[in-house]
Amino acid sequence: MLERVGHDGKVLAGGQSLIPILNMRLASPAHLVDINGVAGLDRVEVTDDAVRVGALVRHAGLESHEAAYAASPLLRRTVRHVAHPAIRNRGTTVGSIAHADAAGEMPAILALTDGLVEAVGPSGTREIPWHDFFLGALETSLAPDELAVAVRFPRLPAATGTAFAERARRHGDYAMAGVAAAVAVSDGVLTSARLSFVSVTDVPGVVDVTAAVHGQAPEEVDWAACDDLVRAHLTPESDIHATAEYRAMLATRLAHLTLARAASDSISSSA
Ligand code: FAD
């Protein structure tokens, strides 16, 4: 169907982003291709390597999936910040990633976990690494005749702790800024520290701040040493919710908070 109408059509998954866009007349595709009746897309699969989330898994389905939580706690810690329960009951995690809004939480997690998108089109199946998938604001490398059938969030190495935090004017609103952190502690010192941001960049990405903290004890580290690397990555914009300066300040403070939490998580999960 997408091969026939792809250039003049849009995939409809949960409709939680697409329908508001149609309501606001920001897009007017001639065709909607509703995938909700397609069998086999509604599964979460947990393997030794990754958590694979099918295109019809609702945010709420991922949130409540115990095996996915055990394999990758960051998924539940983050997806519960996506909108409100009613929206999470309908909106899909893959749809959120296909929508490629850098204000969305799950694109940031796909980046931080070095994940990929599985796409199917007339010429077959391909796996698209996150850094080749997100091209710009609301722009991906999916062809109009391709369907994202699943995303894979690789499991992080065993000693890696994670954390997510964000601030919004009201719980469930899009965040003014959000941060996900993945930190590894080995023999009492930091060996790796990486961050991904929500609402303060154009495109989801990852900042590796390991160089600023490597070899330090987590209880003594000054996380502000990461600030220059973080600020160089951010491209916040002002809007009615917050100024660009406030968003940048919030993002750096949340980076300190999540790095510290992720370090504690690394220590407690390897104890
Ligand atoms: P749809 O709305 O159906 O589709 C979105 C876009 O992705 C469309 O362009 C569609 O063609 C494309 N698409 C969807 N699935 C596929 C696929 N499998 N293959 C190819 N293309 C596809 N999101 C957040 O991340 N954080 C928030 O805080 C947040 N707050 C919200 C608050 C409100 C009031 C609302 C209405 C929505 C909010 N959302 C938020 C958006 C929500 O998470 C959406 O569910 C999600 O962004 C899109 O998923 P969907 O399944 O609804 O996709």
Side-chain angles (χ1 to χ4, degrees):
M1 185 64 77
L2 283 175
E3 190 178 11
R4 273 174 47 205
V5 306
H7 284 278
D8 206 12
K10 275 275 178 204
V11 172
L12 175 68
Q16 299 302 301
S17 295
L18 183 56
I19 298 298
I21 285 171
L22 299 182
N23 278 344
M24 291 185 274
R25 307 291 192 265
L26 296 174
S28 48
H31 305 274
L32 293 183
V33 179
D34 184 349
I35 62 169
N36 286 275
V38 179
L41 297 182
D42 59 351
R43 283 196 285 273
V44 176
E45 292 161 81
V46 180
T47 66
D48 289 344
D49 302 325
V51 176
R52 180 180 186 273
V53 181
L56 287 175
V57 174
R58 314 292 164 177
H59 295 301
L62 179 59
E63 185 180 358
S64 63
H65 200 283
E66 293 302 334
Y69 176 61
S72 185
L74 183 61
L75 297 177
R76 181 182 292 174
R77 285 174 189 158
T78 306
V79 78
R80 57 176 40 158
H81 290 273
V82 174
H84 311 279
I87 289 157
R88 294 201 294 276
N89 281 340
R90 188 70 193 162
T92 65
T93 300
V94 172
S96 183
I97 286 164
H99 188 50
D101 187 347
E105 287 81 0
M106 299 316 284
I109 302 306
L110 194 75
L112 191 67
T113 58
D114 207 16
L116 58 83
V117 176
E118 294 177 23
V120 171
S123 47
T125 302
R126 63 183 183 125
E127 296 185 345
I128 313 170
W130 70 269
H131 44 83
D132 292 334
F133 185 76
F134 298 119
L135 299 183
L138 308 183
E139 191 188 353
T140 73
S141 57
L142 265 187
D145 57 4
E146 279 183 312
L147 179 69
V149 290
V151 294
R152 291 213 304 271
F153 298 97
R155 291 184 185 221
L156 295 169
T160 308
T162 59
F164 181 85
E166 69 175 36
R167 293 291 178 271
R169 294 255 173 226
R170 294 173 305 184
H171 181 75
D173 281 359
Y174 279 103
M176 293 183 286
V179 183
V183 173
V185 179
S186 180
D187 295 330
V189 296
L190 295 154
T191 55
S192 161
R194 297 162 71 248
L195 295 163
S196 188
F197 292 86
V198 175
S199 289
V200 283
T201 60
D202 301 333
V203 186
V206 175
V207 191
D208 192 329
V209 294
T210 308
V213 295
H214 190 268
Q216 299 182 43
E219 59 280 8
E220 289 168 7
V221 68
D222 179 6
W223 298 111
C226 304
D227 286 359
D228 287 347
L229 289 168
V230 167
R231 286 207 193 93
H233 175 75
L234 304 181
T235 51
E237 290 185 11
S238 299
D239 64 14
I240 56 166
H241 302 295
T243 61
E245 293 73 24
Y246 183 70
R247 284 177 194 269
M249 184 276 291
L250 204 49
T252 49
R253 298 291 168 83
L254 289 173
H256 302 172
L257 177 76
T258 51
L259 285 164
R261 282 186 187 161
S264 303
D265 185 49
S266 167
I267 294 164
S268 55
S269 57
S270 50

